[in-house]
Amino acid sequence: MVHVVVVLFILVTQVSAYRPCPKCGKIKVPYPLSTDENCGDPRYRIYCNNGALEFMSASGFYYKILSINPKANKLIIKPPLIQENTCYSSDLDQGGLMLDENLPFNISTRNTVMLFNCSDNILLSPLNCSSSSFCREFEEVGEGCRCKGTLCCHFLKDSSMTSHRIRARLGGCTAYTCVVDKQADEPLESWNFGIELQWLPPF
């Protein structure tokens, strides 16, 4: 009898584990993403806070999820705000975006990252810090104006760089933003602002 109960418990647990989570606001939460211990896969934890779906970094900072593409195993989070009257990203105190390397998420290679208010040391890097850098266009509008005139650079995130971090720090670059799948000569009005994360399938 005890054996039967244990088998039934395991089956029920497995069924509930494969259950997709309910919508959060208007966004569907596909498996394996999990907003609750009773749905999805707990390794793929995201958060539903007051109808807004959010991704939590390794440092405990929450980023709003803008969209999810379950067929491609990808989601896009909103870049941190650049705070008013400063050229500081709102996650500067956390060192920028940092993903837990023990979890199945990483930063995709379709992200063009723009860094602002950088120290001169960055000029030794292979990043594009020239007057033709995309960051100069961003400085002309909206929150980008808060960084106008600072040393800025851009780069395409690729596999040779860490796929778990976009660094922001005092003494380095204090602000950043990101555009997904940026095309050459694409006007700023068409830029898809966000940071694309991808996840490894659970099997």
Side-chain angles (χ1 to χ4, degrees), residues 6-53:
V6 170
V7 171
L8 285 173
F9 176 77
I10 292 172
L11 287 173
V12 168
T13 303
Q14 288 178 339
V15 169
S16 64
Y18 285 102
R19 192 178 70 202
C21 297
K23 271 186 180 182
C24 178
K26 295 181 179 179
I27 301 183
K28 289 183 179 180
V29 182
Y31 185 84
L33 301 181
S34 172
T35 54
D36 186 272
E37 60 185 20
N38 296 316
C39 62
D41 185 321
R43 295 172 300 166
Y44 297 79
R45 186 65 197 269
I46 56 177
Y47 298 83
C48 186
N49 294 322
N50 300 316
L53 207 52

Side-chain angles (χ1 to χ4, degrees), residues 132-174:
S132 63
S133 173
F134 302 139
C135 62
R136 293 301 175 199
E137 294 179 64
F138 178 71
E139 286 181 331
E140 296 300 322
V141 297
E143 64 185 275
C145 294
R146 298 166 190 169
C147 295
K148 192 167 184 177
T150 68
L151 176 56
C152 71
C153 311
H154 84 262
F155 64 95
L156 180 65
K157 200 84 171 153
D158 65 30
S159 57
S160 66
M161 300 175 178
T162 173
S163 59
H164 292 92
R165 184 155 203 181
I166 298 176
R167 187 184 293 272
R169 64 185 179 88
L170 295 173
C173 302
T174 63

Side-chain angles (χ1 to χ4, degrees), residues 56-137:
M56 187 178 75
S57 72
S59 60
F61 192 89
Y62 288 90
Y63 299 82
K64 183 179 180 182
I65 295 176
L66 300 175
S67 64
I68 300 173
N69 183 344
K71 291 182 179 178
N73 295 341
K74 291 178 178 179
L75 58 85
I76 295 176
I77 59 175
K78 185 176 181 179
L81 290 173
I82 297 175
Q83 299 172 1
E84 286 190 42
N85 304 316
T86 73
C87 184
Y88 290 179
S89 286
S90 54
D91 62 359
L92 177 64
D93 289 345
Q94 283 73 37
L97 172 64
M98 183 167 57
L99 307 186
D100 186 336
E101 294 188 30
N102 295 313
L103 295 179
F105 293 97
N106 60 63
I107 300 169
S108 88
T109 57
R110 298 200 316 146
N111 294 289
T112 297
V113 181
M114 287 169 272
L115 305 172
F116 300 91
N117 198 26
C118 299
S119 69
D120 290 343
N121 291 337
I122 202 165
L123 296 174
L124 301 174
S125 74
L127 309 189
N128 184 338
C129 305
S130 71
S131 59
S132 63
S133 173
F134 302 139
C135 62
R136 293 301 175 199
E137 294 179 64

